Amino acid sequence: MEWILAPLKKYATFSGRARRKEFWPYMGVFYVIFLALFIPVQTDPGSPMVFALGLFSLALLVPTIAAFVRRLHDVDKSGWWYLINFVPFVGGIILLIICIPEGTQGANQYGPDPKAPPVG
């Protein structure tokens, strides 16, 4: 469970880096729950699931954006790249593709390599 809780523990931490091991499981669980709430809303827009979907989305908005920003930092991109998500049709796909590669080895301008063993 640590892999899903790690981004939530860093709720609004936009600095630093996030490994793929931290980012992808969190995003997978996020999207599965989002779709489980979204599909009933599509079939019955008047259902109480609308409230649950809104509450879920609002509660996880900040940690999800923070996880994306830290992941972008790991691949040596500015967090401002997150805004590409707002390009219609392709922005979200481009953002996810940017997040696929392994992070920069060693320290980069956003912090030390999260894969490196702790010093000391």
Side-chain angles (χ1 to χ4, degrees):
M1 278 307 275
E2 183 62 32
W3 49 269
I4 189 65
L5 297 177
L8 296 176
K9 288 179 182 176
K10 299 175 185 175
Y11 189 85
T13 304
F14 291 88
S15 61
R17 297 167 60 173
R19 297 174 55 181
R20 291 183 293 186
K21 187 177 179 179
E22 174 185 335
F23 178 76
W24 287 109
Y26 171 77
M27 294 310 294
V29 170
F30 174 84
Y31 283 118
V32 165
I33 294 171
F34 182 84
L35 287 174
L37 295 171
F38 183 75
I39 291 170
V41 168
Q42 288 297 305
T43 57
D44 181 16
S47 81
M49 294 302 274
V50 172
F51 178 74
L53 178 63
L55 189 63
F56 173 79
S57 298
L58 189 59
L60 294 181
L61 178 66
V62 172
T64 301
I65 294 172
F68 263 110
V69 169
R70 288 191 314 273
R71 181 69 198 132
L72 287 166
H73 287 173
D74 195 40
V75 294
D76 210 16
K77 301 263 188 242
S78 167
W80 290 105
W81 272 92
Y82 180 77
L83 297 177
I84 202 167
N85 196 32
F86 297 106
V87 173
F89 307 113
V90 297
I93 295 168
I94 292 170
L95 181 62
L96 288 174
I97 290 171
I98 290 172
C99 291
I100 289 173
E102 186 174 353
T104 307
Q105 291 185 356
N108 67 16
Q109 63 182 331
Y110 301 105
D113 187 351
K115 278 185 159 181
V119 177

